[in-house]
Amino acid sequence: EPEVTQTPSHQVTQMGQEVILRCVPISNHLYFYWYRQILGQKVEFLVSFYNNEISEKSEIFDDQFSVERPDGSNFTLKIRSTKLEDSAMYFCASSQDTSAQYFGPGTRLTVL
Amino acid sequence: GIQVEQSPPDLILQEGANSTLRCNFSDSVNNLQWFHQNPWGQLINLFYIPSGTKQNGRLSATTVATERYSLLYISSSQTTDSGVYFCAVEYGGGATNKLIFGTGTLLAVQP
């Protein structure tokens, strides 16, 4: 069964550094999403992406964040200058249409 | 914005017991999904269920959209069922619909 994959599984970085989280969505899916979950809290929406542009973004998704689909398979989330409060699990998701979303295993980001 | 509340917040079961988890939402939704977050943090897709009833093995789910709730039934629970169960709803328009997650139910199944 096709699945969403994410790399790395765990990323440790120093405050102020840039990080890029990578995702490979399910191949025939057209809609892509990033969510995050701070430890012990619920999952929060960050951004959705369709037709090579951002469809919607949350208040969390400020100028420090950007997304890109650099080729036909990868979908990336970049945080330009990480802060301590960016420490969280980041999930990528994809969907074929505006129906069921399938989640990747997540990248645990730790900012020191 | 829409509120998504789950109950109970915590649940401890003995292996073999049955349970019902509830998800209430405050506004009309387009779609609803149930997820299981395992101890490693992975979100496992259980059901996509905007309305009606679905079954998958020991798990089943029912959504009554007109009354703004969904139920997840777990029968003959096993220790591997432990983890956090989230419901998430889609609402709104536009090209994509974001998922709004509920507060979760933490389930512990004891041997």
Side-chain angles (χ1 to χ4, degrees), chain A residues 31-33 35 37 41-45 48-50 55-56 89 91 98-105 108, chain B residues 3-4 31 33 35 37 40-43 45 48 86 90-91 93-104:
Chain A
Y31 298 79
F32 314 112
Y33 313 83
Y35 294 81
Q37 183 183 32
Q41 299 186 20
K42 62 181 180 179
V43 180
E44 304 172 286
F45 168 80
S48 57
F49 192 86
Y50 169 73
S55 303
E56 186 174 1
M89 180 79 101
F91 292 102
T98 56
S99 61
Q101 294 181 26
Y102 293 84
F103 281 67
R108 186 170 299 281
Chain B
Q3 302 298 312
V4 184
N31 297 311
Q33 292 183 244
F35 296 91
Q37 186 166 40
W40 296 271
Q42 296 176 321
L43 281 170
N45 215 331
Y48 168 71
F86 288 104
E90 290 183 42
Y91 81 115
T96 63
N97 289 338
K98 62 187 177 187
L99 281 175
I100 305 298
F101 279 73
T103 49

Side-chain angles (χ1 to χ4, degrees), chain B residues 26-108:
Chain B
S26 61
D27 205 343
S28 299
V29 300
N30 301 324
N31 297 311
L32 186 144
Q33 292 183 244
W34 281 98
F35 296 91
H36 173 214
Q37 186 166 40
N38 64 22
W40 296 271
Q42 296 176 321
L43 281 170
I44 310 301
N45 215 331
L46 296 178
F47 292 103
Y48 168 71
I49 185 165
S51 64
T53 297
K54 289 186 178 179
Q55 180 152 9
N56 185 4
R58 296 181 296 105
L59 274 59
S60 64
T62 295
T63 297
V64 184
T66 53
E67 296 187 23
R68 300 181 183 171
Y69 73 89
S70 183
L71 303 173
L72 178 70
Y73 306 94
I74 304 174
S75 64
S76 303
S77 58
Q78 300 175 357
T79 55
T80 52
D81 294 332
S82 296
V84 184
Y85 289 81
F86 288 104
C87 69
V89 301
E90 290 183 42
Y91 81 115
T96 63
N97 289 338
K98 62 187 177 187
L99 281 175
I100 305 298
F101 279 73
T103 49
T105 292
L106 176 59
L107 174 65

Side-chain angles (χ1 to χ4, degrees), chain A residues 3 19 24 31 39 54 61 73 88-89:
Chain A
E3 57 185 21
V19 294
V24 179
Y31 298 79
L39 186 64
I54 291 175
F61 195 89
S73 59
M89 180 79 101

Side-chain angles (χ1 to χ4, degrees), chain A residues 4 7 18-20 23 30 32 42 44 47 49-50 58 61-64 67-69 78 80 93 97 101:
Chain A
V4 177
T7 54
E18 175 183 285
V19 294
I20 297 176
C23 167
L30 301 176
F32 314 112
K42 62 181 180 179
E44 304 172 286
V47 65
F49 192 86
Y50 169 73
S58 71
F61 195 89
D62 60 22
D63 292 343
Q64 292 299 314
V67 289
E68 192 177 32
R69 188 159 163 80
K78 181 192 291 186
R80 267 181 267 281
D97 46 35
Q101 294 181 26

Side-chain angles (χ1 to χ4, degrees), chain A residues 73-91:
Chain A
S73 59
N74 290 286
F75 180 51
T76 61
L77 174 69
K78 181 192 291 186
I79 309 175
R80 267 181 267 281
S81 177
T82 50
K83 305 186 283 285
L84 294 176
E85 54 265 37
D86 292 328
S87 294
M89 180 79 101
Y90 288 81
F91 292 102

